[in-house]
Structure formats: structure tokens, C-alpha cells
Amino acid sequence: MTGSGAALALAIRNTDPFVAARRGDGTLLPDYLDGHRILGDPGVLAAAAAELARRIPPGADHVAGEAAAGSGLAISVSLAALDQGRRLAARTLRREPKVHGITGVLSTAVPPSSNFALVDDVAGTGACLERCTLRLRELGHHIVGAWVVVDRQNGAAERLARLGVPFAALLSIDELRTTRSN
């Protein structure tokens, strides 16, 4: 790993992103990668958003993430794209449809058949990105790809490939661990 990937890995390492956490079944995970810690650092967020904006192809009209980390990252990527001279509208996908105000799973109205780039802080199994893909497709939109800051390498790439969605990560968890141990 060289260049911007190495610099980003080092910056992420400095956020101390590995924490002890519990799974839903109560199992302790002593070295859990906390995506919120990563993107809570404004320098890391800005660097990751700028790199993601560079990687999203010109065919994308919107960048979206699921409510919580994904939506904040989508907004940051949208702003970074604007700094790079490109308009890429940010959208939030809700887990549950809203029944008042702007209803549905999208935070704002979007023209039919729009092209979406999905973003998230960390991908594990890819369940969140799959859910976003299926929701947007149900609404008649197209997914140009999915990008994450760190891939935990727990099957996200394979899951999205089955849906025909290109997937890429700025870093793998192995690259991050290697940087962390230096």
C-alpha cells in the first residue's frame, strides 16, 4: 500500500478505531473496528470523502448512505465532489419508510431512474449495502456501485457481486491492521 491509501490508513490508525464490543449474542469482540470512531475525526472524514468522490464514476447522479454513518458520509462525499467541480447530490436512505412529511425510504424526492452510488464507513457482510440496493431498485433506480472506507472482508464483495453491484473499499481491514502494527 502506497500513497493516499497509506496516509489514510495511518490517519485512521491514529483514531484508535479498534475497540472491545459485544455482538448481539453477547460474545465479546476484543478487536472490533468502529466505523463511527473513524469518521468522527474531521481530517479522516474529509480525506476519505475526497477519495470516495474521486472514485465514483461520472454516471452517478446521487450518492446515498443508510441513516447514521452512511448518510453523514454521503453528505461529505457530495461536498467533496463539489470541491472537485462535480455535482453529486447526497441522499439518505431510511431503514424504515417515513409516513409523514417526505414519506418513504428516501430523505427527499428523486427523479425516476436515477443513478446512485452507495457509500458506507465499513462493510462487513454487506447486508446494509444489499438492503440499500434492493430498496433503490424497488423504487426504479440504478446502482452504479458501492464504496466503503474499510472492508472487514466478511463477504460484502461477494454479496454485492451476486446483485451485480461493483464494490470497492479504500482499505481492507488487513491493510489497516498491518498499518496499525507498524
Side-chain angles (χ1 to χ4, degrees), residues 134-152:
L134 296 176
R135 281 190 184 141
L136 288 168
R137 284 181 174 168
E138 285 172 7
L139 296 171
H141 302 299
H142 309 285
I143 310 304
V144 300
W147 290 264
V148 298
V149 179
V150 180
D151 180 8
R152 285 191 181 116

PDB file of all heavy atoms in Angstrom, residues 134-152:
ATOM      1  N   LEU A 134     -31.470  -3.014  -2.795  1.00  0.00           N
ATOM      2  CA  LEU A 134     -32.802  -3.552  -3.067  1.00  0.00           C
ATOM      3  C   LEU A 134     -33.874  -2.476  -2.925  1.00  0.00           C
ATOM      4  O   LEU A 134     -34.805  -2.410  -3.736  1.00  0.00           O
ATOM      5  CB  LEU A 134     -33.083  -4.740  -2.148  1.00  0.00           C
ATOM      6  CG  LEU A 134     -32.163  -5.952  -2.373  1.00  0.00           C
ATOM      7  CD1 LEU A 134     -32.444  -7.040  -1.347  1.00  0.00           C
ATOM      8  CD2 LEU A 134     -32.282  -6.483  -3.790  1.00  0.00           C
ATOM      9  N   ARG A 135     -33.738  -1.605  -1.921  1.00  0.00           N
ATOM     10  CA  ARG A 135     -34.708  -0.523  -1.752  1.00  0.00           C
ATOM     11  C   ARG A 135     -34.717   0.418  -2.949  1.00  0.00           C
ATOM     12  O   ARG A 135     -35.771   0.795  -3.448  1.00  0.00           O
ATOM     13  CB  ARG A 135     -34.393   0.275  -0.493  1.00  0.00           C
ATOM     14  CG  ARG A 135     -34.847  -0.395   0.748  1.00  0.00           C
ATOM     15  CD  ARG A 135     -34.719   0.562   1.899  1.00  0.00           C
ATOM     16  NE  ARG A 135     -35.070  -0.125   3.115  1.00  0.00           N
ATOM     17  CZ  ARG A 135     -34.460   0.041   4.258  1.00  0.00           C
ATOM     18  NH1 ARG A 135     -33.455   0.890   4.352  1.00  0.00           N
ATOM     19  NH2 ARG A 135     -34.845  -0.614   5.323  1.00  0.00           N
ATOM     20  N   LEU A 136     -33.531   0.811  -3.376  1.00  0.00           N
ATOM     21  CA  LEU A 136     -33.453   1.741  -4.501  1.00  0.00           C
ATOM     22  C   LEU A 136     -33.937   1.094  -5.800  1.00  0.00           C
ATOM     23  O   LEU A 136     -34.610   1.736  -6.607  1.00  0.00           O
ATOM     24  CB  LEU A 136     -32.028   2.273  -4.653  1.00  0.00           C
ATOM     25  CG  LEU A 136     -31.614   3.274  -3.567  1.00  0.00           C
ATOM     26  CD1 LEU A 136     -30.119   3.519  -3.604  1.00  0.00           C
ATOM     27  CD2 LEU A 136     -32.387   4.572  -3.713  1.00  0.00           C
ATOM     28  N   ARG A 137     -33.622  -0.160  -5.995  1.00  0.00           N
ATOM     29  CA  ARG A 137     -34.101  -0.854  -7.196  1.00  0.00           C
ATOM     30  C   ARG A 137     -35.620  -0.984  -7.180  1.00  0.00           C
ATOM     31  O   ARG A 137     -36.258  -0.863  -8.231  1.00  0.00           O
ATOM     32  CB  ARG A 137     -33.441  -2.223  -7.313  1.00  0.00           C
ATOM     33  CG  ARG A 137     -32.001  -2.124  -7.796  1.00  0.00           C
ATOM     34  CD  ARG A 137     -31.377  -3.472  -7.931  1.00  0.00           C
ATOM     35  NE  ARG A 137     -30.051  -3.374  -8.523  1.00  0.00           N
ATOM     36  CZ  ARG A 137     -29.183  -4.381  -8.555  1.00  0.00           C
ATOM     37  NH1 ARG A 137     -29.510  -5.562  -8.042  1.00  0.00           N
ATOM     38  NH2 ARG A 137     -27.993  -4.212  -9.088  1.00  0.00           N
ATOM     39  N   GLU A 138     -36.195  -1.234  -6.000  1.00  0.00           N
ATOM     40  CA  GLU A 138     -37.657  -1.308  -5.886  1.00  0.00           C
ATOM     41  C   GLU A 138     -38.306   0.014  -6.318  1.00  0.00           C
ATOM     42  O   GLU A 138     -39.421   0.025  -6.829  1.00  0.00           O
ATOM     43  CB  GLU A 138     -38.079  -1.616  -4.455  1.00  0.00           C
ATOM     44  CG  GLU A 138     -37.864  -3.051  -4.038  1.00  0.00           C
ATOM     45  CD  GLU A 138     -38.109  -3.265  -2.546  1.00  0.00           C
ATOM     46  OE1 GLU A 138     -38.568  -2.334  -1.845  1.00  0.00           O
ATOM     47  OE2 GLU A 138     -37.829  -4.380  -2.083  1.00  0.00           O
ATOM     48  N   LEU A 139     -37.580   1.116  -6.107  1.00  0.00           N
ATOM     49  CA  LEU A 139     -38.082   2.435  -6.492  1.00  0.00           C
ATOM     50  C   LEU A 139     -37.759   2.776  -7.953  1.00  0.00           C
ATOM     51  O   LEU A 139     -38.074   3.863  -8.421  1.00  0.00           O
ATOM     52  CB  LEU A 139     -37.494   3.506  -5.566  1.00  0.00           C
ATOM     53  CG  LEU A 139     -37.910   3.399  -4.094  1.00  0.00           C
ATOM     54  CD1 LEU A 139     -37.102   4.362  -3.241  1.00  0.00           C
ATOM     55  CD2 LEU A 139     -39.408   3.647  -3.937  1.00  0.00           C
ATOM     56  N   GLY A 140     -37.107   1.858  -8.652  1.00  0.00           N
ATOM     57  CA  GLY A 140     -36.806   2.065 -10.067  1.00  0.00           C
ATOM     58  C   GLY A 140     -35.474   2.727 -10.354  1.00  0.00           C
ATOM     59  O   GLY A 140     -35.231   3.156 -11.491  1.00  0.00           O
ATOM     60  N   HIS A 141     -34.591   2.800  -9.357  1.00  0.00           N
ATOM     61  CA  HIS A 141     -33.291   3.444  -9.553  1.00  0.00           C
ATOM     62  C   HIS A 141     -32.214   2.414  -9.895  1.00  0.00           C
ATOM     63  O   HIS A 141     -32.404   1.221  -9.722  1.00  0.00           O
ATOM     64  CB  HIS A 141     -32.907   4.241  -8.308  1.00  0.00           C
ATOM     65  CG  HIS A 141     -33.915   5.290  -7.955  1.00  0.00           C
ATOM     66  ND1 HIS A 141     -34.228   6.333  -8.795  1.00  0.00           N
ATOM     67  CD2 HIS A 141     -34.710   5.436  -6.865  1.00  0.00           C
ATOM     68  CE1 HIS A 141     -35.155   7.090  -8.244  1.00  0.00           C
ATOM     69  NE2 HIS A 141     -35.475   6.563  -7.073  1.00  0.00           N
ATOM     70  N   HIS A 142     -31.078   2.924 -10.357  1.00  0.00           N
ATOM     71  CA  HIS A 142     -29.943   2.089 -10.744  1.00  0.00           C
ATOM     72  C   HIS A 142     -28.799   2.313  -9.755  1.00  0.00           C
ATOM     73  O   HIS A 142     -28.588   3.433  -9.294  1.00  0.00           O
ATOM     74  CB  HIS A 142     -29.477   2.445 -12.156  1.00  0.00           C
ATOM     75  CG  HIS A 142     -30.592   2.454 -13.154  1.00  0.00           C
ATOM     76  ND1 HIS A 142     -31.166   1.306 -13.642  1.00  0.00           N
ATOM     77  CD2 HIS A 142     -31.269   3.481 -13.721  1.00  0.00           C
ATOM     78  CE1 HIS A 142     -32.137   1.626 -14.469  1.00  0.00           C
ATOM     79  NE2 HIS A 142     -32.224   2.942 -14.538  1.00  0.00           N
ATOM     80  N   ILE A 143     -28.050   1.261  -9.493  1.00  0.00           N
ATOM     81  CA  ILE A 143     -26.887   1.352  -8.601  1.00  0.00           C
ATOM     82  C   ILE A 143     -25.631   1.232  -9.463  1.00  0.00           C
ATOM     83  O   ILE A 143     -25.430   0.217 -10.129  1.00  0.00           O
ATOM     84  CB  ILE A 143     -26.897   0.228  -7.534  1.00  0.00           C
ATOM     85  CG1 ILE A 143     -28.254   0.144  -6.823  1.00  0.00           C
ATOM     86  CG2 ILE A 143     -25.747   0.425  -6.548  1.00  0.00           C
ATOM     87  CD1 ILE A 143     -28.708   1.424  -6.169  1.00  0.00           C
ATOM     88  N   VAL A 144     -24.801   2.273  -9.458  1.00  0.00           N
ATOM     89  CA  VAL A 144     -23.573   2.242 -10.257  1.00  0.00           C
ATOM     90  C   VAL A 144     -22.430   1.572  -9.510  1.00  0.00           C
ATOM     91  O   VAL A 144     -21.443   1.177 -10.112  1.00  0.00           O
ATOM     92  CB  VAL A 144     -23.151   3.654 -10.734  1.00  0.00           C
ATOM     93  CG1 VAL A 144     -24.237   4.267 -11.597  1.00  0.00           C
ATOM     94  CG2 VAL A 144     -22.800   4.560  -9.571  1.00  0.00           C
ATOM     95  N   GLY A 145     -22.568   1.445  -8.189  1.00  0.00           N
ATOM     96  CA  GLY A 145     -21.553   0.788  -7.390  1.00  0.00           C
ATOM     97  C   GLY A 145     -21.697   1.145  -5.933  1.00  0.00           C
ATOM     98  O   GLY A 145     -22.508   2.007  -5.559  1.00  0.00           O
ATOM     99  N   ALA A 146     -20.905   0.452  -5.117  1.00  0.00           N
ATOM    100  CA  ALA A 146     -20.894   0.688  -3.669  1.00  0.00           C
ATOM    101  C   ALA A 146     -19.441   0.842  -3.230  1.00  0.00           C
ATOM    102  O   ALA A 146     -18.577   0.052  -3.622  1.00  0.00           O
ATOM    103  CB  ALA A 146     -21.553  -0.471  -2.930  1.00  0.00           C
ATOM    104  N   TRP A 147     -19.181   1.874  -2.422  1.00  0.00           N
ATOM    105  CA  TRP A 147     -17.842   2.167  -1.937  1.00  0.00           C
ATOM    106  C   TRP A 147     -17.865   2.325  -0.429  1.00  0.00           C
ATOM    107  O   TRP A 147     -18.791   2.926   0.124  1.00  0.00           O
ATOM    108  CB  TRP A 147     -17.322   3.474  -2.562  1.00  0.00           C
ATOM    109  CG  TRP A 147     -17.035   3.335  -4.014  1.00  0.00           C
ATOM    110  CD1 TRP A 147     -15.824   3.069  -4.581  1.00  0.00           C
ATOM    111  CD2 TRP A 147     -17.967   3.445  -5.101  1.00  0.00           C
ATOM    112  NE1 TRP A 147     -15.957   3.008  -5.953  1.00  0.00           N
ATOM    113  CE2 TRP A 147     -17.259   3.230  -6.293  1.00  0.00           C
ATOM    114  CE3 TRP A 147     -19.340   3.689  -5.175  1.00  0.00           C
ATOM    115  CZ2 TRP A 147     -17.860   3.255  -7.543  1.00  0.00           C
ATOM    116  CZ3 TRP A 147     -19.951   3.720  -6.425  1.00  0.00           C
ATOM    117  CH2 TRP A 147     -19.213   3.501  -7.583  1.00  0.00           C
ATOM    118  N   VAL A 148     -16.838   1.802   0.225  1.00  0.00           N
ATOM    119  CA  VAL A 148     -16.710   1.935   1.680  1.00  0.00           C
ATOM    120  C   VAL A 148     -15.297   2.397   2.015  1.00  0.00           C
ATOM    121  O   VAL A 148     -14.377   2.265   1.212  1.00  0.00           O
ATOM    122  CB  VAL A 148     -17.024   0.609   2.407  1.00  0.00           C
ATOM    123  CG1 VAL A 148     -18.466   0.174   2.164  1.00  0.00           C
ATOM    124  CG2 VAL A 148     -16.054  -0.496   2.018  1.00  0.00           C
ATOM    125  N   VAL A 149     -15.164   2.915   3.209  1.00  0.00           N
ATOM    126  CA  VAL A 149     -13.838   3.321   3.667  1.00  0.00           C
ATOM    127  C   VAL A 149     -13.016   2.082   4.001  1.00  0.00           C
ATOM    128  O   VAL A 149     -11.890   1.930   3.544  1.00  0.00           O
ATOM    129  CB  VAL A 149     -13.937   4.283   4.877  1.00  0.00           C
ATOM    130  CG1 VAL A 149     -12.551   4.681   5.365  1.00  0.00           C
ATOM    131  CG2 VAL A 149     -14.750   5.526   4.504  1.00  0.00           C
ATOM    132  N   VAL A 150     -13.585   1.157   4.797  1.00  0.00           N
ATOM    133  CA  VAL A 150     -12.864  -0.061   5.178  1.00  0.00           C
ATOM    134  C   VAL A 150     -13.751  -1.282   4.946  1.00  0.00           C
ATOM    135  O   VAL A 150     -14.908  -1.303   5.362  1.00  0.00           O
ATOM    136  CB  VAL A 150     -12.423  -0.026   6.661  1.00  0.00           C
ATOM    137  CG1 VAL A 150     -11.666  -1.305   7.025  1.00  0.00           C
ATOM    138  CG2 VAL A 150     -11.559   1.196   6.953  1.00  0.00           C
ATOM    139  N   ASP A 151     -13.174  -2.292   4.310  1.00  0.00           N
ATOM    140  CA  ASP A 151     -13.852  -3.575   4.110  1.00  0.00           C
ATOM    141  C   ASP A 151     -13.346  -4.552   5.160  1.00  0.00           C
ATOM    142  O   ASP A 151     -12.151  -4.844   5.208  1.00  0.00           O
ATOM    143  CB  ASP A 151     -13.556  -4.100   2.700  1.00  0.00           C
ATOM    144  CG  ASP A 151     -14.226  -5.429   2.406  1.00  0.00           C
ATOM    145  OD1 ASP A 151     -15.060  -5.898   3.219  1.00  0.00           O
ATOM    146  OD2 ASP A 151     -13.925  -6.004   1.341  1.00  0.00           O
ATOM    147  N   ARG A 152     -14.261  -5.052   5.993  1.00  0.00           N
ATOM    148  CA  ARG A 152     -13.895  -6.041   7.015  1.00  0.00           C
ATOM    149  C   ARG A 152     -13.602  -7.408   6.404  1.00  0.00           C
ATOM    150  O   ARG A 152     -13.155  -8.306   7.093  1.00  0.00           O
ATOM    151  CB  ARG A 152     -15.021  -6.187   8.038  1.00  0.00           C
ATOM    152  CG  ARG A 152     -15.137  -5.068   9.006  1.00  0.00           C
ATOM    153  CD  ARG A 152     -16.120  -5.456  10.127  1.00  0.00           C
ATOM    154  NE  ARG A 152     -16.251  -4.372  11.064  1.00  0.00           N
ATOM    155  CZ  ARG A 152     -17.375  -3.700  11.275  1.00  0.00           C
ATOM    156  NH1 ARG A 152     -18.481  -4.018  10.630  1.00  0.00           N
ATOM    157  NH2 ARG A 152     -17.408  -2.719  12.147  1.00  0.00           N
TER     158      ARG A 152
END
